[in-house]
Amino acid sequence: MIESMAKTLNADVAIIGAGGGGYPAAFFLDKAGFRVLMIDPIGNLGGNCLAEGCVPSKAVREASLIRSYAKKYAFFGLSGPSPQVDWNGILAHKDRVQKTRYEIHKSEIQQSGILFYKGIGKIIDDKKIEVCTENESFYATFKHLIIATGSRPHSLQIPGAELTVSSHDLFKQESSVPFPTKPIIIGGGYIGVEVASMLENLGSKPSILEFSKSLIGGFDKELSQFLFQRLQSRISIELEAQVKSVKGKEGNYEVIYVKNDQELSLFGDLVIMATGRECVSPEGIENLGFQRSKALPVTNTLQVYDFPHIYAPGDVNGKSMLFHSAVLQSRITAHNIAAGGQSVARMDWKSVPYAVFTEPEIASVGLTEEEAIHMFGHRIEVIKYEYAIDARAEILGETEGFIKLIFDCEDKRLLGAHIGGIEASQLIAPLALALREGLDAEALARVAFPHPMISEGINKAARAFSP
């Protein structure tokens, strides 16, 4: 039974949400001497990333990678059977990773001075929230408010949408989704292609239905096309397919879609809705004049427009819906609050790297080639380093891929970087740093990268532009 609201707690900073947009700021400000109140419905750190997203999905993905190595036994002069798939065992591994991370986070909370509550934070006005837990409800006032309520899976509003599962259903703790042999994935964004790739590695025969003309919208066109060409040899992909409805029952579904003005059907044993993510604002956001289903508008200091003491880092602002981006935004928020609201730190959205954990991986940071041409015209030069001539790629038998660097011809600054192929997710990090710090081709050319590693390609590509 919930007690009546008999108390009001006063905090310097109130934080709604303990995911990547919330907890880095909480710990920073706590150590800086601020009285920090944090509320989260999960009751621990990590948000959706740890509960149902990037961490558990990559745990499953790594299991799928281990099995996929058997496809290359002959290349290395090896032989033997492919490992058998124990889907429940893979999910148990995922659960162990999540449990371990939660135990670590619980200890971090206990060692801090943060006032942490498992519950819901409702906005009353721009100075007060209501905290609702299982046992009590009370008001809390604050000098600064951080809204870090993240995002959730988006679902098409079509007949039969309730028959589908989302990435949350697949990767949450103690998931009961059975292993699909012929899954149909609605959506060819990063979630859709990642799930398709890992399930194919485990023996499924997935199909992707994507509404647009290409996979992975927003990426460099050459990079998107590279991924499409590599995936379509393993996965059935239909582009420009408009899904109209889902029919059937457990284990036997029909997805009806339209392509080239023709109505078609696809049959499978599981339908996965992977049509992106949508922002989730806290209850009561209407009291500040915003809609719950819309991204909160923020400046590059993460302050909500018209409310300089309210910040909205992470997925909730819709600008860069990635966990590592949310962490950076959270830290920028904390620095600005610690400075008394001064704009001592600003978010550089273009220097946030993107990685898609398919096989092969793709990764990107900065301007695409199309964007660079539009902004700079003939002032740019595009340099490509092909994996086909790379020593490590040859050793691994992964010679299809490239590193693509875009430079400003006048000052030699790096404008963008795009990688398709093995280890792309690792290789993009130094290029994101170079972009953020405004480094030029000479800086990349004068670093000795280790041999024989694919990272040498960064150095060689830079040297091709600036010998």
mmCIF file of all heavy atoms in Angstrom, residues 31-74:
data_model
loop_
_atom_site.group_PDB
_atom_site.id
_atom_site.type_symbol
_atom_site.label_atom_id
_atom_site.label_comp_id
_atom_site.label_asym_id
_atom_site.label_seq_id
_atom_site.Cartn_x
_atom_site.Cartn_y
_atom_site.Cartn_z
ATOM 1 N N LYS A 31 30.235 13.344 -6.517
ATOM 2 C CA LYS A 31 31.625 13.539 -6.078
ATOM 3 C C LYS A 31 31.979 15.020 -5.970
ATOM 4 O O LYS A 31 32.875 15.395 -5.209
ATOM 5 C CB LYS A 31 32.576 12.841 -7.046
ATOM 6 C CG LYS A 31 32.499 11.321 -6.998
ATOM 7 C CD LYS A 31 33.439 10.684 -8.010
ATOM 8 C CE LYS A 31 33.345 9.165 -7.970
ATOM 9 N NZ LYS A 31 34.223 8.525 -8.975
ATOM 10 N N ALA A 32 31.266 15.859 -6.733
ATOM 11 C CA ALA A 32 31.522 17.302 -6.692
ATOM 12 C C ALA A 32 30.804 17.977 -5.527
ATOM 13 O O ALA A 32 30.906 19.196 -5.353
ATOM 14 C CB ALA A 32 31.084 17.947 -8.006
ATOM 15 N N GLY A 33 30.075 17.194 -4.722
ATOM 16 C CA GLY A 33 29.438 17.744 -3.532
ATOM 17 C C GLY A 33 27.977 18.117 -3.684
ATOM 18 O O GLY A 33 27.388 18.694 -2.756
ATOM 19 N N PHE A 34 27.377 17.786 -4.799
ATOM 20 C CA PHE A 34 25.958 18.083 -4.994
ATOM 21 C C PHE A 34 25.100 16.999 -4.332
ATOM 22 O O PHE A 34 25.486 15.836 -4.274
ATOM 23 C CB PHE A 34 25.622 18.141 -6.489
ATOM 24 C CG PHE A 34 26.152 19.357 -7.195
ATOM 25 C CD1 PHE A 34 27.500 19.459 -7.533
ATOM 26 C CD2 PHE A 34 25.310 20.417 -7.516
ATOM 27 C CE1 PHE A 34 28.000 20.568 -8.190
ATOM 28 C CE2 PHE A 34 25.797 21.529 -8.175
ATOM 29 C CZ PHE A 34 27.146 21.616 -8.506
ATOM 30 N N ARG A 35 23.942 17.403 -3.859
ATOM 31 C CA ARG A 35 22.962 16.445 -3.334
ATOM 32 C C ARG A 35 22.135 15.940 -4.515
ATOM 33 O O ARG A 35 21.355 16.685 -5.109
ATOM 34 C CB ARG A 35 22.076 17.129 -2.288
ATOM 35 C CG ARG A 35 21.024 16.217 -1.632
ATOM 36 C CD ARG A 35 20.313 16.994 -0.538
ATOM 37 N NE ARG A 35 19.131 16.313 -0.021
ATOM 38 C CZ ARG A 35 19.142 15.376 0.919
ATOM 39 N NH1 ARG A 35 20.304 15.002 1.450
ATOM 40 N NH2 ARG A 35 18.028 14.824 1.344
ATOM 41 N N VAL A 36 22.338 14.679 -4.866
ATOM 42 C CA VAL A 36 21.766 14.117 -6.087
ATOM 43 C C VAL A 36 20.687 13.094 -5.759
ATOM 44 O O VAL A 36 20.902 12.162 -4.977
ATOM 45 C CB VAL A 36 22.857 13.453 -6.950
ATOM 46 C CG1 VAL A 36 22.240 12.832 -8.202
ATOM 47 C CG2 VAL A 36 23.942 14.462 -7.333
ATOM 48 N N LEU A 37 19.533 13.277 -6.369
ATOM 49 C CA LEU A 37 18.433 12.318 -6.277
ATOM 50 C C LEU A 37 18.259 11.682 -7.650
ATOM 51 O O LEU A 37 18.183 12.381 -8.663
ATOM 52 C CB LEU A 37 17.138 13.048 -5.876
ATOM 53 C CG LEU A 37 15.819 12.292 -6.086
ATOM 54 C CD1 LEU A 37 15.703 11.134 -5.089
ATOM 55 C CD2 LEU A 37 14.633 13.242 -5.945
ATOM 56 N N MET A 38 18.219 10.342 -7.699
ATOM 57 C CA MET A 38 18.034 9.654 -8.976
ATOM 58 C C MET A 38 16.928 8.618 -8.852
ATOM 59 O O MET A 38 16.879 7.852 -7.888
ATOM 60 C CB MET A 38 19.337 8.996 -9.435
ATOM 61 C CG MET A 38 19.250 8.399 -10.832
ATOM 62 S SD MET A 38 20.848 8.248 -11.687
ATOM 63 C CE MET A 38 21.735 7.177 -10.580
ATOM 64 N N ILE A 39 16.035 8.593 -9.846
ATOM 65 C CA ILE A 39 14.897 7.666 -9.863
ATOM 66 C C ILE A 39 14.933 6.872 -11.155
ATOM 67 O O ILE A 39 15.142 7.446 -12.237
ATOM 68 C CB ILE A 39 13.549 8.421 -9.787
ATOM 69 C CG1 ILE A 39 13.575 9.500 -8.706
ATOM 70 C CG2 ILE A 39 12.404 7.454 -9.562
ATOM 71 C CD1 ILE A 39 13.790 10.908 -9.238
ATOM 72 N N ASP A 40 14.732 5.559 -11.049
ATOM 73 C CA ASP A 40 14.730 4.723 -12.246
ATOM 74 C C ASP A 40 13.795 3.535 -12.030
ATOM 75 O O ASP A 40 13.819 2.907 -10.965
ATOM 76 C CB ASP A 40 16.137 4.214 -12.551
ATOM 77 C CG ASP A 40 16.194 3.460 -13.859
ATOM 78 O OD1 ASP A 40 16.427 4.115 -14.903
ATOM 79 O OD2 ASP A 40 16.002 2.227 -13.855
ATOM 80 N N PRO A 41 12.971 3.179 -13.020
ATOM 81 C CA PRO A 41 12.018 2.075 -12.845
ATOM 82 C C PRO A 41 12.669 0.701 -12.736
ATOM 83 O O PRO A 41 12.091 -0.216 -12.139
ATOM 84 C CB PRO A 41 11.127 2.170 -14.084
ATOM 85 C CG PRO A 41 11.950 2.903 -15.093
ATOM 86 C CD PRO A 41 12.781 3.861 -14.308
ATOM 87 N N ILE A 42 13.872 0.538 -13.281
ATOM 88 C CA ILE A 42 14.567 -0.746 -13.199
ATOM 89 C C ILE A 42 15.156 -0.949 -11.808
ATOM 90 O O ILE A 42 15.267 -2.074 -11.318
ATOM 91 C CB ILE A 42 15.657 -0.842 -14.282
ATOM 92 C CG1 ILE A 42 15.005 -0.876 -15.666
ATOM 93 C CG2 ILE A 42 16.538 -2.078 -14.083
ATOM 94 C CD1 ILE A 42 15.988 -0.822 -16.811
ATOM 95 N N GLY A 43 15.527 0.157 -11.173
ATOM 96 C CA GLY A 43 16.111 0.069 -9.840
ATOM 97 C C GLY A 43 17.595 -0.184 -9.856
ATOM 98 O O GLY A 43 18.183 -0.593 -8.846
ATOM 99 N N ASN A 44 18.235 0.060 -10.989
ATOM 100 C CA ASN A 44 19.680 -0.121 -11.107
ATOM 101 C C ASN A 44 20.164 0.718 -12.277
ATOM 102 O O ASN A 44 19.365 1.346 -12.976
ATOM 103 C CB ASN A 44 20.033 -1.602 -11.303
ATOM 104 C CG ASN A 44 21.412 -1.961 -10.769
ATOM 105 O OD1 ASN A 44 22.350 -1.187 -10.886
ATOM 106 N ND2 ASN A 44 21.514 -3.136 -10.174
ATOM 107 N N LEU A 45 21.471 0.695 -12.495
ATOM 108 C CA LEU A 45 22.058 1.481 -13.573
ATOM 109 C C LEU A 45 22.018 0.713 -14.887
ATOM 110 O O LEU A 45 21.835 -0.494 -14.908
ATOM 111 C CB LEU A 45 23.502 1.834 -13.233
ATOM 112 C CG LEU A 45 23.778 2.454 -11.860
ATOM 113 C CD1 LEU A 45 25.269 2.750 -11.704
ATOM 114 C CD2 LEU A 45 22.950 3.708 -11.640
ATOM 115 N N GLY A 46 22.219 1.435 -15.978
ATOM 116 C CA GLY A 46 22.371 0.790 -17.273
ATOM 117 C C GLY A 46 21.241 1.006 -18.249
ATOM 118 O O GLY A 46 21.423 0.841 -19.453
ATOM 119 N N GLY A 47 20.052 1.354 -17.760
ATOM 120 C CA GLY A 47 18.934 1.621 -18.653
ATOM 121 C C GLY A 47 18.600 0.449 -19.556
ATOM 122 O O GLY A 47 18.876 -0.714 -19.242
ATOM 123 N N ASN A 48 18.026 0.759 -20.711
ATOM 124 C CA ASN A 48 17.656 -0.283 -21.654
ATOM 125 C C ASN A 48 18.865 -0.970 -22.263
ATOM 126 O O ASN A 48 18.778 -2.131 -22.694
ATOM 127 C CB ASN A 48 16.786 0.311 -22.770
ATOM 128 C CG ASN A 48 15.380 0.626 -22.306
ATOM 129 O OD1 ASN A 48 14.838 -0.064 -21.462
ATOM 130 N ND2 ASN A 48 14.802 1.687 -22.845
ATOM 131 N N CYS A 49 19.996 -0.282 -22.313
ATOM 132 C CA CYS A 49 21.205 -0.869 -22.896
ATOM 133 C C CYS A 49 21.573 -2.162 -22.188
ATOM 134 O O CYS A 49 21.870 -3.171 -22.822
ATOM 135 C CB CYS A 49 22.357 0.124 -22.813
ATOM 136 S SG CYS A 49 23.933 -0.555 -23.400
ATOM 137 N N LEU A 50 21.559 -2.145 -20.861
ATOM 138 C CA LEU A 50 21.908 -3.337 -20.096
ATOM 139 C C LEU A 50 20.716 -4.271 -19.933
ATOM 140 O O LEU A 50 20.868 -5.492 -19.942
ATOM 141 C CB LEU A 50 22.457 -2.934 -18.724
ATOM 142 C CG LEU A 50 22.832 -4.063 -17.762
ATOM 143 C CD1 LEU A 50 23.764 -5.070 -18.418
ATOM 144 C CD2 LEU A 50 23.474 -3.476 -16.498
ATOM 145 N N ALA A 51 19.530 -3.699 -19.819
ATOM 146 C CA ALA A 51 18.349 -4.531 -19.568
ATOM 147 C C ALA A 51 17.928 -5.330 -20.788
ATOM 148 O O ALA A 51 17.601 -6.517 -20.691
ATOM 149 C CB ALA A 51 17.184 -3.655 -19.101
ATOM 150 N N GLU A 52 17.942 -4.703 -21.952
ATOM 151 C CA GLU A 52 17.356 -5.352 -23.130
ATOM 152 C C GLU A 52 18.030 -4.961 -24.434
ATOM 153 O O GLU A 52 17.500 -5.243 -25.518
ATOM 154 C CB GLU A 52 15.864 -4.965 -23.222
ATOM 155 C CG GLU A 52 15.031 -5.433 -22.044
ATOM 156 C CD GLU A 52 13.955 -4.416 -21.656
ATOM 157 O OE1 GLU A 52 14.062 -3.248 -22.059
ATOM 158 O OE2 GLU A 52 13.017 -4.798 -20.951
ATOM 159 N N GLY A 53 19.192 -4.297 -24.365
ATOM 160 C CA GLY A 53 19.770 -3.754 -25.586
ATOM 161 C C GLY A 53 21.173 -4.187 -25.905
ATOM 162 O O GLY A 53 21.459 -5.371 -26.102
ATOM 163 N N CYS A 54 22.097 -3.210 -25.928
ATOM 164 C CA CYS A 54 23.413 -3.455 -26.500
ATOM 165 C C CYS A 54 24.218 -4.524 -25.771
ATOM 166 O O CYS A 54 24.872 -5.347 -26.415
ATOM 167 C CB CYS A 54 24.203 -2.151 -26.587
ATOM 168 S SG CYS A 54 23.975 -1.001 -25.239
ATOM 169 N N VAL A 55 24.190 -4.562 -24.451
ATOM 170 C CA VAL A 55 25.006 -5.549 -23.735
ATOM 171 C C VAL A 55 24.498 -6.972 -23.941
ATOM 172 O O VAL A 55 25.261 -7.848 -24.381
ATOM 173 C CB VAL A 55 25.107 -5.198 -22.234
ATOM 174 C CG1 VAL A 55 25.765 -6.338 -21.465
ATOM 175 C CG2 VAL A 55 25.906 -3.904 -22.042
ATOM 176 N N PRO A 56 23.230 -7.279 -23.654
ATOM 177 C CA PRO A 56 22.780 -8.657 -23.878
ATOM 178 C C PRO A 56 22.783 -9.064 -25.350
ATOM 179 O O PRO A 56 23.074 -10.221 -25.669
ATOM 180 C CB PRO A 56 21.360 -8.665 -23.296
ATOM 181 C CG PRO A 56 20.931 -7.235 -23.289
ATOM 182 C CD PRO A 56 22.177 -6.455 -23.024
ATOM 183 N N SER A 57 22.480 -8.139 -26.252
ATOM 184 C CA SER A 57 22.486 -8.500 -27.673
ATOM 185 C C SER A 57 23.889 -8.854 -28.140
ATOM 186 O O SER A 57 24.078 -9.771 -28.951
ATOM 187 C CB SER A 57 21.904 -7.365 -28.524
ATOM 188 O OG SER A 57 22.747 -6.233 -28.532
ATOM 189 N N LYS A 58 24.894 -8.148 -27.620
ATOM 190 C CA LYS A 58 26.267 -8.473 -28.028
ATOM 191 C C LYS A 58 26.752 -9.758 -27.370
ATOM 192 O O LYS A 58 27.615 -10.457 -27.924
ATOM 193 C CB LYS A 58 27.214 -7.312 -27.683
ATOM 194 C CG LYS A 58 26.841 -5.993 -28.349
ATOM 195 C CD LYS A 58 26.553 -6.151 -29.829
ATOM 196 C CE LYS A 58 25.982 -4.897 -30.448
ATOM 197 N NZ LYS A 58 24.606 -4.582 -30.049
ATOM 198 N N ALA A 59 26.195 -10.108 -26.213
ATOM 199 C CA ALA A 59 26.530 -11.397 -25.612
ATOM 200 C C ALA A 59 26.046 -12.526 -26.510
ATOM 201 O O ALA A 59 26.757 -13.515 -26.735
ATOM 202 C CB ALA A 59 25.904 -11.517 -24.221
ATOM 203 N N VAL A 60 24.841 -12.393 -27.052
ATOM 204 C CA VAL A 60 24.322 -13.386 -27.994
ATOM 205 C C VAL A 60 25.122 -13.346 -29.288
ATOM 206 O O VAL A 60 25.462 -14.389 -29.871
ATOM 207 C CB VAL A 60 22.828 -13.130 -28.284
ATOM 208 C CG1 VAL A 60 22.317 -14.067 -29.375
ATOM 209 C CG2 VAL A 60 22.004 -13.299 -27.014
ATOM 210 N N ARG A 61 25.460 -12.150 -29.731
ATOM 211 C CA ARG A 61 26.208 -12.008 -30.974
ATOM 212 C C ARG A 61 27.567 -12.698 -30.898
ATOM 213 O O ARG A 61 28.006 -13.362 -31.845
ATOM 214 C CB ARG A 61 26.382 -10.521 -31.290
ATOM 215 C CG ARG A 61 27.007 -10.243 -32.650
ATOM 216 C CD ARG A 61 28.353 -9.570 -32.545
ATOM 217 N NE ARG A 61 28.870 -9.199 -33.851
ATOM 218 C CZ ARG A 61 30.004 -8.556 -34.044
ATOM 219 N NH1 ARG A 61 30.741 -8.197 -33.017
ATOM 220 N NH2 ARG A 61 30.438 -8.285 -35.255
ATOM 221 N N GLU A 62 28.260 -12.542 -29.765
ATOM 222 C CA GLU A 62 29.577 -13.167 -29.646
ATOM 223 C C GLU A 62 29.468 -14.688 -29.674
ATOM 224 O O GLU A 62 30.326 -15.373 -30.230
ATOM 225 C CB GLU A 62 30.266 -12.699 -28.363
ATOM 226 C CG GLU A 62 30.691 -11.242 -28.382
ATOM 227 C CD GLU A 62 31.615 -10.908 -29.542
ATOM 228 O OE1 GLU A 62 32.540 -11.706 -29.824
ATOM 229 O OE2 GLU A 62 31.416 -9.850 -30.179
ATOM 230 N N ALA A 63 28.397 -15.228 -29.080
ATOM 231 C CA ALA A 63 28.175 -16.669 -29.162
ATOM 232 C C ALA A 63 27.978 -17.094 -30.620
ATOM 233 O O ALA A 63 28.498 -18.126 -31.059
ATOM 234 C CB ALA A 63 26.962 -17.060 -28.323
ATOM 235 N N SER A 64 27.244 -16.278 -31.365
ATOM 236 C CA SER A 64 27.005 -16.601 -32.774
ATOM 237 C C SER A 64 28.291 -16.520 -33.580
ATOM 238 O O SER A 64 28.503 -17.294 -34.520
ATOM 239 C CB SER A 64 25.947 -15.661 -33.364
ATOM 240 O OG SER A 64 26.478 -14.405 -33.729
ATOM 241 N N LEU A 65 29.184 -15.588 -33.209
ATOM 242 C CA LEU A 65 30.460 -15.454 -33.913
ATOM 243 C C LEU A 65 31.322 -16.691 -33.724
ATOM 244 O O LEU A 65 31.971 -17.164 -34.664
ATOM 245 C CB LEU A 65 31.215 -14.215 -33.420
ATOM 246 C CG LEU A 65 30.850 -12.872 -34.028
ATOM 247 C CD1 LEU A 65 31.724 -11.778 -33.420
ATOM 248 C CD2 LEU A 65 31.031 -12.891 -35.533
ATOM 249 N N ILE A 66 31.361 -17.201 -32.484
ATOM 250 C CA ILE A 66 32.156 -18.392 -32.206
ATOM 251 C C ILE A 66 31.716 -19.536 -33.119
ATOM 252 O O ILE A 66 32.536 -20.249 -33.704
ATOM 253 C CB ILE A 66 32.025 -18.807 -30.726
ATOM 254 C CG1 ILE A 66 32.617 -17.722 -29.812
ATOM 255 C CG2 ILE A 66 32.705 -20.140 -30.474
ATOM 256 C CD1 ILE A 66 34.082 -17.464 -29.999
ATOM 257 N N ARG A 67 30.407 -19.698 -33.249
ATOM 258 C CA ARG A 67 29.903 -20.775 -34.113
ATOM 259 C C ARG A 67 30.244 -20.509 -35.574
ATOM 260 O O ARG A 67 30.563 -21.435 -36.328
ATOM 261 C CB ARG A 67 28.392 -20.922 -33.952
ATOM 262 C CG ARG A 67 27.818 -22.085 -34.759
ATOM 263 C CD ARG A 67 26.331 -22.254 -34.522
ATOM 264 N NE ARG A 67 25.849 -23.483 -35.144
ATOM 265 C CZ ARG A 67 25.412 -23.562 -36.410
ATOM 266 N NH1 ARG A 67 25.421 -22.487 -37.175
ATOM 267 N NH2 ARG A 67 24.985 -24.714 -36.894
ATOM 268 N N SER A 68 30.198 -19.258 -35.995
ATOM 269 C CA SER A 68 30.432 -18.938 -37.401
ATOM 270 C C SER A 68 31.862 -19.215 -37.837
ATOM 271 O O SER A 68 32.132 -19.360 -39.036
ATOM 272 C CB SER A 68 30.085 -17.467 -37.680
ATOM 273 O OG SER A 68 31.060 -16.593 -37.130
ATOM 274 N N TYR A 69 32.797 -19.291 -36.876
ATOM 275 C CA TYR A 69 34.187 -19.560 -37.247
ATOM 276 C C TYR A 69 34.328 -20.897 -37.957
ATOM 277 O O TYR A 69 35.261 -21.094 -38.736
ATOM 278 C CB TYR A 69 35.081 -19.537 -36.004
ATOM 279 C CG TYR A 69 35.195 -18.193 -35.332
ATOM 280 C CD1 TYR A 69 35.575 -18.087 -33.997
ATOM 281 C CD2 TYR A 69 34.925 -17.011 -36.018
ATOM 282 C CE1 TYR A 69 35.669 -16.848 -33.369
ATOM 283 C CE2 TYR A 69 35.012 -15.772 -35.400
ATOM 284 C CZ TYR A 69 35.379 -15.703 -34.073
ATOM 285 O OH TYR A 69 35.475 -14.481 -33.442
ATOM 286 N N ALA A 70 33.405 -21.822 -37.678
ATOM 287 C CA ALA A 70 33.484 -23.142 -38.315
ATOM 288 C C ALA A 70 33.379 -23.038 -39.832
ATOM 289 O O ALA A 70 33.894 -23.906 -40.550
ATOM 290 C CB ALA A 70 32.378 -24.044 -37.766
ATOM 291 N N LYS A 71 32.719 -21.982 -40.316
ATOM 292 C CA LYS A 71 32.597 -21.797 -41.761
ATOM 293 C C LYS A 71 33.963 -21.581 -42.416
ATOM 294 O O LYS A 71 34.112 -21.769 -43.629
ATOM 295 C CB LYS A 71 31.694 -20.598 -42.065
ATOM 296 C CG LYS A 71 30.263 -20.720 -41.563
ATOM 297 C CD LYS A 71 29.493 -19.440 -41.841
ATOM 298 C CE LYS A 71 28.066 -19.487 -41.288
ATOM 299 N NZ LYS A 71 27.337 -18.219 -41.519
ATOM 300 N N LYS A 72 34.955 -21.173 -41.627
ATOM 301 C CA LYS A 72 36.274 -20.850 -42.171
ATOM 302 C C LYS A 72 37.327 -21.907 -41.840
ATOM 303 O O LYS A 72 38.508 -21.687 -42.076
ATOM 304 C CB LYS A 72 36.718 -19.485 -41.649
ATOM 305 C CG LYS A 72 35.812 -18.344 -42.071
ATOM 306 C CD LYS A 72 36.189 -17.045 -41.409
ATOM 307 C CE LYS A 72 37.581 -16.605 -41.791
ATOM 308 N NZ LYS A 72 37.926 -15.301 -41.189
ATOM 309 N N TYR A 73 36.912 -23.027 -41.279
ATOM 310 C CA TYR A 73 37.887 -24.059 -40.918
ATOM 311 C C TYR A 73 38.776 -24.423 -42.103
ATOM 312 O O TYR A 73 40.005 -24.522 -41.970
ATOM 313 C CB TYR A 73 37.164 -25.318 -40.413
ATOM 314 C CG TYR A 73 36.656 -25.241 -38.997
ATOM 315 C CD1 TYR A 73 35.891 -26.278 -38.480
ATOM 316 C CD2 TYR A 73 36.932 -24.150 -38.171
ATOM 317 C CE1 TYR A 73 35.405 -26.236 -37.166
ATOM 318 C CE2 TYR A 73 36.447 -24.086 -36.875
ATOM 319 C CZ TYR A 73 35.684 -25.138 -36.382
ATOM 320 O OH TYR A 73 35.209 -25.090 -35.098
ATOM 321 N N ALA A 74 38.158 -24.670 -43.257
ATOM 322 C CA ALA A 74 38.928 -25.123 -44.420
ATOM 323 C C ALA A 74 39.954 -24.082 -44.848
ATOM 324 O O ALA A 74 41.068 -24.436 -45.274
ATOM 325 C CB ALA A 74 37.977 -25.443 -45.577
#
